[in-house]
Amino acid sequence: MDAVRVALLREVLAGTEWLGATRTFAGALRGSVVPHGGGLLLVGTAGYEPWHLAAHLVDEAAWSGTPELAPTLVRHDARPSDPAHLAVGLGRLAAARRGETLLVVTPDDPGARLLERVHDARRAGATVLALGTARDAGERELAAMAHETLTVPDGAELDLDTVQHLVSAAAGENAVPPPRGRRRFRDRLSRLADHLTAPPPSSW
């Protein structure tokens, strides 16, 4: 979802709780990682890896000049033979320390293994943020451990994927105090237009 679609979605959601909720959660994320120079760990469940959120946070980190937003994707089934950026397993959560931030995305039951790792990270001093649906006891247990939560209940206007788009966009926008009016949004549109209309690189 690009900046134009995010802006249109925000127009549709004007007057609902979601704009404030996603910006508050994004502010907590930004406020946790920026003062410590990064250290953002992103993990999903055994059945769901938040690839798209990782990619959007990397984009926002670049666009906003806030490299601290770029996460390390932690995977349940990572193998040593995987490329380095895909080879980080759950053991990384046990090694989390104070100053690091753990963002957990759970569209389904996190499972006992992940909950134990999150508990270890929190006990070691890491900041835990939870983004999920809270449909079952495991997700509710995770929410109880987290310093900040954002829950997408059944029957909500949005699904979890859309909420992730709003959170990542707001995290980048919150990187600096927004100017008056919609100038910052226009700046992002301008950068996007420049990128889309730039000539292809020379083959020479």
Side-chain angles (χ1 to χ4, degrees), residues 2 9 12-13 24-25 34 40-41 89 106 112 119 139 146 154 160-161 173 181 185:
D2 59 32
L9 178 59
V12 172
L13 294 173
T24 296
F25 190 83
V34 171
L40 176 57
L41 305 173
T106 56
H119 181 266
E139 287 184 288
D154 287 333
L160 185 59
D161 285 341
E173 289 171 350
F185 173 64

Side-chain angles (χ1 to χ4, degrees), residues 27-198:
L29 173 61
R30 182 199 71 247
S32 181
V33 300
V34 171
H36 294 101
L40 176 57
L41 305 173
L42 174 63
V43 67
T45 65
Y48 176 85
E49 290 186 329
W51 297 94
H52 285 101
L53 179 56
H56 284 300
L57 285 171
V58 168
D59 287 344
E60 291 295 338
W63 290 341
S64 66
T66 313
E68 297 88 352
L69 288 173
T72 296
L73 181 63
V74 179
R75 305 178 62 215
H76 287 250
D77 297 319
R79 299 182 298 266
S81 59
D82 290 332
H85 68 290
L86 300 178
V88 180
L90 286 183
R92 178 64 180 85
L93 303 186
R97 293 294 178 264
R98 185 175 302 280
E100 293 186 309
T101 301
L102 173 57
L103 174 54
V104 190
V105 182
T106 56
D108 51 33
D109 188 352
R113 184 183 177 208
L114 177 57
L115 288 173
E116 181 179 353
R117 299 292 190 177
V118 173
H119 181 266
D120 290 342
R122 161 123 193 186
R123 186 171 54 187
T127 298
V128 177
L129 287 79
L131 176 57
T133 58
R135 293 186 181 128
D136 54 49
E139 287 184 288
R140 292 192 292 272
E141 184 178 346
L142 172 63
M145 278 192 277
H147 296 88
E148 186 78 27
T149 64
L150 180 57
T151 301
V152 183
D154 287 333
E157 300 96 330
L158 305 179
D159 59 20
L160 185 59
D161 285 341
T162 303
V163 170
Q164 290 178 64
H165 285 296
L166 291 170
V167 167
S168 60
E173 289 171 350
N174 285 336
V176 297
R180 299 175 67 180
R182 304 189 66 179
R183 189 177 311 158
R184 180 160 177 75
F185 173 64
R186 290 199 301 270
D187 289 344
R188 292 185 65 196
L189 280 181
S190 176
R191 287 198 300 272
L192 178 63
D194 289 345
H195 174 73
L196 293 175
T197 58

